[in-house]
Amino acid sequence: MASEPILLDHLIDNAAAEGGPRIELRDPGNLDEVVALVAQADTATVDRAVRSAHAAFPLWRDTPLAERCARLRAAADTLVAAADEVIAVMARESGMLPGTNKAEIGMAAAIVRDNADHAETSLAPACFEDADSTVEVEKVAVGVIAAIVPWNAPVILAMRKVSPALAVGNTVVVKTAPTAPIGLTRLLQAFAAHFPAGVINVVQGGGETGSALVAHPLVARVSFTGGLKVAQIIMKQAAADLKRVSFELGGNDPAILLPDADLDKAVPRIMGGAFRRAGQFCFAVKRVYVPRALAPELIARMKADLDTFVVGHPLTAGVTVGPINNKGQFDYLLGLRERVRASGVTYLEGGTQADPQLWDKGYYMMPALVTDIDPEHELVTTEQFGPILPIVVYDDLDAVIDSINAGELGLGSSVWGEDLDAALDVARRIEAGMTFINNAGTSRLGQRYMPFGGVKRSGIGRESSPVGLGEHFALHAMNYHK
Amino acid sequence: MSDIPTLRNFVAGQWLGEAAPFEVRDPGHRDTILAHVVPADAALVDQAVSAAVKAQKLWACVPVAERAAAVLAAADRIEAEADKGLDGLVREVVLETGMLPGEITLEFRGAAFAARDNVEAAQVALEPEVIEDESSIVRIERRPIGVVAAIVPWNAPIVLMIRKFAPALVAGCALVVKTPPTAPIGITKLLAGLAELFPAGVINVVHGFGEVGAALSAHPLVRLVSFTGGGVAARAIMATAADTMKNVQFELGGNDAAIVLDDFDIETQIPMLMAGAFHRSGQFCFAIKRLYVPDAIYDRVFDAMAAYLDAQKIGHPLDPATTFGPINNKAQFDFLQGLIARSRAAGAELIELGTPVDPAQWETGNYMKPVLVRDAAPGLEAVTCEQFGPVLPVLRYHDLDAVVAQANRTEYGLGSSIWTRDEGRGKALARRLEAGMTFINKNAQSRLGRRHMPFGGIKQSGIGTENAEYGLYEFTEIHAINIHKA
């Protein structure tokens, strides 16, 4: 797999732009491999990107909605067409499987089309009239939006910000994640070609680059997906000039099985919901609650499924679980694993190693189920963001719900049971932005219409759906007195 | 003096607080102490939030129709206070704010409307949305966000409080209201009365200065800070709210431009234009802060404005002869005096108008005559700042495009107004202004506007909005539920 490192630059005015020092990006599945040398945008480069977006804004805002949406739809097609060219390099930078990346790009294209559709149905002004006056509430573009994207599903998460922003008439500066910049940049480059120069700009870099972007006076709004700590910093910075923010942050999403859960359905869906992307996604199932009577059967079936996992480099044939994306997260998970094992629980590892010779060269760990665990254990009460899943046995559903709601995270959640009315009643008691019933993610209808986001410390604002589009415009209310 | 009442904090139906009190004085007669107010300390703020948390869990389970009925009952009581006029709470608010009895009576009526309008908006906005296809169902439910800290300013304390109170309570939230230090009396008495309509702990009231606001913004169980006031405080609130990832909703200041077009009818429109700037002695967020008048009619408009203002009688709001009240507080008064001095020093032509009702009392209150700035230069501080008082710069223009550019060249974007009989021209111009709101031919909402206009600003004039369905959404969190059928 050895090849010359890619030189990755920024995208400003629809052209590759150098700026700032370069750092090495290594393959998390084989740290001997330098995948790219990535420029890190300094303040001057960030300023160029923001000014480009700011200069492009008036023209783009005044471009008719139908044309904005037509360009978005054509750009969505380009994403799909470009997918095969980037899924391997995405695997090498993020550790995610090529099939996962391909599905991600397809879903990102659907997100773009959904947002174009929502814009066409929801940007019309609301008008009211009586004998004395008229009221018109217009939805107006806000300017330059900073979109700060994480590494775990960069294309989907970027398109959740870029496509509604553009549909409304804003322009964007995307900051990629330091450990997954290549595939996204290549896709955005192809995507951006459908728009006037400056409508989409991309800067590479870490926290300093993000900070320069958030602090820039010409940025009107910051949309961030990532961790709570960074969000806190962004919000404090944004406070200085009262920028709008929206945050999609972590979760500690519970899967609650009810006594009538259908295990044939639930087991594969929960396993996928917990271990896809090696557990590295925001609304992954982070903990499972199972009634005592169902527990032995559930654990046996989940363990059997776990044993079929093949862990290794994402470009090795047959691999179903890739490495952890980065050293910080890997070290955290290793530490967590030690603490969990030392705490007297039952730690059930499963699966096989696809590349034993690579094992110590990458951020690999065997996926695991943890049983006989206390509901207040660290593994249950924190977001692990990795392939270690606790299964908590319960006798009292009310206590489970109280304990879930006592936490400060509230992104997703799932409820599993064949009586849908009873499952809905349970769902409605959970403090979360999203609850899935009998699955661990959104249906196609849900992708299009569910506002995606969390309550409490899992975020501010929503993405996707007409509600998510609404984060990208300001209201201008006009009141004419006759 | 023993007849000066003491105002404590209102927590779950109890009057609490033992800290050293501060004084509220009559801005029209500073020697008069209206109340001794006991500020809340951090422990009391925590007690208020804890009471609200406990009450909110139960209040959220009360059906929407029942919550709506309670807010509508509150609206009736507020309107009854307006009907009592100076025999009721209107008098208290007049004394503490310095605003005129007519202004405060209207404010109570406006607050009753705001309560009813928010209930009406809630009927639409709180209804779950259900979308279904053959394989799944999406339910989008709006849940109460939880405990809301409502931080309210002095300039229109009743209506600005009710704009938070009504949507919060109908949505199923509980409230901790922080009163403004120079106008805490009316709000507190009103809320303590309205609290009878709700379970104990749903409504709590705390007093104090910035540290009380900071304690509320920092409290981990407060989920939303809804603040009306100034940008400096808003920045501090947002930075503090970041630690606990709270939602914030801010309605802040403006530097609202009014643009007169050449078909302006001097005969009929001057009083409305002047009210848009000088109502409440200019102390309201969406007051006209700068006025652009075309060269062709500038002198006639200016003279008519001057004549209108010169007829004003400045005095104590309870004196029946008064048409123009004092400035609410000494800090704002001093700022305005300084602004006038700096504007004069910069060479601007300032014209003071109106007459004192009682010259002997002039120095005992925060009195000032309204001021017009003739031919104000675009860069003058009085043009670019939010003066929040009766100092109006009047700018002469030749080129409307240049006026639009000037109007937009500010970090503010709250309100704005256009004055023309030509509806099409007015609306086309309105669309070019960067503002949350544009009023045409009256710098205020119509009855329809109160119900349907989201009230708030863009840029640094605010985050989020109040009123209408959009305003109600600020007090909710979405819970989206996706039912997979197979």
Side-chain angles (χ1 to χ4, degrees), chain B residues 296-366:
Chain B
I297 58 171
Y298 184 94
D299 293 335
R300 284 189 293 137
V301 170
F302 192 93
D303 290 347
M305 289 169 61
Y308 178 95
L309 282 183
D310 211 30
Q312 302 301 313
K313 303 278 186 282
I314 305 117
H316 194 280
L318 289 182
D319 189 321
T322 296
T323 63
F324 207 93
I327 303 306
N328 172 264
N329 59 79
K330 195 69 172 48
Q332 185 59 21
F333 181 77
D334 290 344
F335 167 76
L336 289 164
Q337 299 306 315
L339 179 67
I340 288 170
R342 290 192 296 279
S343 301
R344 287 215 163 100
E349 183 187 350
L350 275 66
I351 302 162
E352 292 188 348
L353 297 144
T355 47
V357 171
D358 185 352
Q361 291 292 315
W362 190 254
E363 297 299 331
T364 67
N366 301 328

Side-chain angles (χ1 to χ4, degrees), chain A residues 388-451:
Chain A
I388 308 175
L389 181 67
I391 302 172
V392 179
V393 175
Y394 75 82
D395 298 302
D396 177 2
L397 182 62
D398 293 342
V400 168
I401 292 171
D402 286 348
S403 130
I404 288 167
N405 290 345
E408 275 299 318
L409 297 179
L411 184 63
S413 50
S414 57
V415 178
W416 305 77
E418 287 306 291
D419 178 342
L420 293 181
D421 291 333
L424 180 60
D425 284 343
V426 173
R428 299 182 76 236
R429 294 171 62 194
I430 302 171
E431 293 176 4
M434 301 172 288
T435 304
F436 310 105
I437 295 180
N438 290 335
N439 214 328
T442 47
S443 63
R444 177 68 194 101
L445 190 74
Q447 282 164 21
R448 186 169 162 86
Y449 290 109
M450 267 181 95

Side-chain angles (χ1 to χ4, degrees), chain A residues 133-134 136 138 232 236 239-240 244 269 408 427-428 433-435 437 441-443 456 460 462 476-477 479 481, chain B residues 136 141 223 235 239 242-243 427 430-431 433 436-438 440 444-446 462 477-482 484 486:
Chain A
S133 73
T134 67
E136 286 171 37
E138 300 217 328
Q232 288 165 329
K236 281 181 189 292
R244 280 125 189 88
R269 292 179 183 182
E408 275 299 318
R428 299 182 76 236
M434 301 172 288
T435 304
I437 295 180
T442 47
S443 63
K456 300 195 277 191
I460 290 180
R462 292 294 185 276
H476 186 176
N479 193 186
H481 296 260
Chain B
S136 76
E141 307 202 355
R223 300 296 179 189
R235 288 172 177 82
D243 290 324
K427 286 182 176 174
R431 287 190 185 93
L433 295 179
M437 301 174 285
T438 304
I440 303 175
Q445 295 149 298
S446 64
E477 280 278 19
I478 286 176
H479 187 179
I481 300 175
N482 193 185
H484 294 255

Side-chain angles (χ1 to χ4, degrees), chain B residues 199-264:
Chain B
V202 170
I203 297 167
N204 305 278
V205 185
V206 295
H207 309 299
F209 297 86
E211 60 274 16
V212 174
L216 282 170
S217 310
H219 198 292
L221 294 178
V222 169
R223 300 296 179 189
L224 167 72
V225 182
S226 175
F227 169 71
T228 302
V232 174
R235 288 172 177 82
I237 289 169
M238 186 166 169
T240 305
D243 290 324
T244 45
M245 241 342 104
K246 282 180 183 45
N247 289 41
V248 293
Q249 181 264 315
F250 296 147
E251 197 262 279
L252 309 176
N255 182 20
D256 296 13
I259 304 174
V260 168
L261 298 187
D262 49 20
D263 65 344
F264 179 75

Side-chain angles (χ1 to χ4, degrees), chain B residues 36-54:
Chain B
H36 288 130
V37 181
V38 178
D41 56 14
L44 197 48
V45 167
D46 181 60
Q47 202 177 335
V49 174
S50 301
V53 167
K54 213 170 136 195

